[in-house]
Amino acid sequence: MTFRLLHLFLSFIIITLLISSCSNPKKDYEPVQQLQTTTEQSIAGTSDAAANIKSCQSVIDVLQNFIKTHPEGEWNVTAKAALYGWQAKRDSLQEVVNRISDFEKIQKLQGAAEDVMQHSFDYVVRMKSCDDMIGALQEYFSNHPQSDWSTSAQTALMSWKSRKANLVQQLSFLFNKLSKLMEQRAIQEAEKVHQMSNVEKIQLERSDTTSVGGNINITKVYAVRMVGSIAGKHIFKLDITISGGINPETKQTFVKENVKVVE
């Protein structure tokens, strides 16, 4: 029994020595090192980011295989250090590719948005184009805080914000202008019905806004309280419906002739 155990032990030692003699980490790492040197030279000699990323990945695959084959020892440590470096290089190259791709998307989107701004008078459509560009540019900065196009992208972002603010200001001005015209018209219509009375109070009860082909149509219902101008005893209450609109192309407001008065 003792002899058998001794035989097994000696066999184990012999197998271990054979494996050790067949597996030489330093020698096995030489072609890996050569591949790294060749790949570095290749990357330095071309600006093709996609091809360079592929080359990096090839080195990464070889290093990972070496680490798996040699899970211990100084050459395992060397390979792991090299692996981290090549992964960082690959990720850096990928960031460049992503940055270029994202900026090209921004340029295409901006071209389409500019086309909308030049050929459409619809405030809703134009403001949406501004919002789309603002959102896209902000996302670009979030993904690429430092890039070769930061200055031009920042300038574009400020420009689109300014254009949107201008559209909002224009539309607000036109709405306010139309509201004043419609209220004045409601007062005039009330005074036509009761010429011997004065408008004591006018209050907006309801307002509906619709948009058709860019044109903005507004219908307002006013509650008008009138008091007799002679004795002040007679009180009249009217509901007056006025319709009007905004022409975004000419930036003109108008009040329609048809007015509904309910007493």
Side-chain angles (χ1 to χ4, degrees):
M1 187 68 177
T2 304
F3 177 80
R4 181 175 179 81
L5 288 173
L6 179 61
H7 180 268
L8 289 173
F9 177 75
L10 290 174
S11 298
F12 175 77
I13 295 298
I14 293 170
I15 292 171
T16 302
L17 290 173
L18 286 172
I19 292 174
S20 298
S21 64
C22 293
S23 177
N24 188 329
K26 181 179 179 181
K27 185 176 181 180
D28 291 347
Y29 194 73
E30 289 177 359
V32 179
Q33 182 61 59
Q34 181 60 44
L35 175 63
Q36 293 180 72
T37 302
T38 304
T39 304
E40 285 174 350
Q41 294 172 349
S42 175
I43 289 175
T46 178
S47 59
D48 188 339
N52 288 339
I53 290 171
K54 188 175 181 180
S55 296
C56 287
Q57 188 59 52
S58 297
V59 176
I60 290 169
D61 293 341
V62 171
L63 284 165
Q64 287 176 331
N65 184 64
F66 179 88
I67 291 168
K68 183 178 179 180
T69 305
H70 305 281
E72 297 179 351
E74 62 175 307
W75 292 101
N76 172 276
V77 175
T78 300
K80 283 182 178 178
L83 176 63
Y84 298 146
W86 282 99
Q87 288 174 332
K89 184 175 292 188
R90 177 200 59 191
D91 293 345
S92 177
L93 288 168
Q94 187 62 58
E95 165 60 18
V96 173
V97 171
N98 293 343
R99 193 162 61 229
I100 293 172
S101 176
D102 289 349
F103 191 73
E104 288 175 348
K105 291 177 183 177
I106 288 287
Q107 289 180 310
K108 290 180 180 178
L109 183 61
Q110 183 159 265
E114 288 288 1
D115 188 62
V116 170
M117 298 298 283
Q118 291 179 15
H119 298 94
S120 175
F121 297 101
D122 190 323
Y123 277 99
V124 174
V125 173
R126 297 176 78 193
M127 280 196 278
K128 184 179 183 303
S129 290
C130 291
D131 285 334
D132 289 345
M133 282 308 309
I134 291 169
L137 287 163
Q138 288 175 333
E139 182 179 2
Y140 179 82
F141 281 120
S142 177
N143 294 333
H144 312 289
Q146 294 182 345
S147 75
D148 298 336
W149 304 285
S150 292
T151 301
S152 58
Q154 182 65 41
T155 301
L157 178 61
M158 293 173 62
S159 174
W160 284 103
K161 284 183 175 180
S162 177
R163 293 165 85 169
K164 182 185 177 181
N166 185 51
L167 288 172
V168 171
Q169 185 178 18
Q170 284 182 22
L171 193 56
S172 178
F173 171 78
L174 293 172
F175 266 112
N176 290 336
K177 181 180 178 181
L178 180 58
S179 293
K180 290 178 181 178
L181 291 175
M182 295 176 79
E183 184 174 309
Q184 291 172 2
R185 180 63 177 277
I187 293 172
Q188 292 172 1
E189 294 297 326
E191 290 174 343
K192 287 181 182 179
V193 176
H194 296 285
Q195 298 182 4
M196 301 301 292
S197 300
N198 297 322
V199 174
E200 181 184 60
K201 181 180 179 182
I202 181 169
Q203 180 176 321
L204 179 63
E205 294 289 306
R206 190 176 75 252
S207 179
D208 297 317
T209 303
T210 58
S211 180
V212 180
N215 292 317
I216 301 170
N217 300 314
I218 301 173
T219 299
K220 294 179 180 288
V221 179
Y222 294 92
V224 182
R225 176 186 170 90
M226 304 187 74
V227 178
S229 59
I230 298 177
K233 294 181 180 180
H234 299 289
I235 297 176
F236 306 98
K237 295 181 179 180
L238 308 175
D239 287 333
I240 302 178
T241 303
I242 307 287
S243 295
I246 298 172
N247 186 323
E249 183 174 0
T250 62
K251 295 182 176 59
Q252 296 296 317
T253 59
F254 58 90
V255 178
K256 294 181 181 179
E257 292 298 324
N258 55 319
V259 177
K260 181 180 178 182
V261 179
V262 179
E263 187 168 1

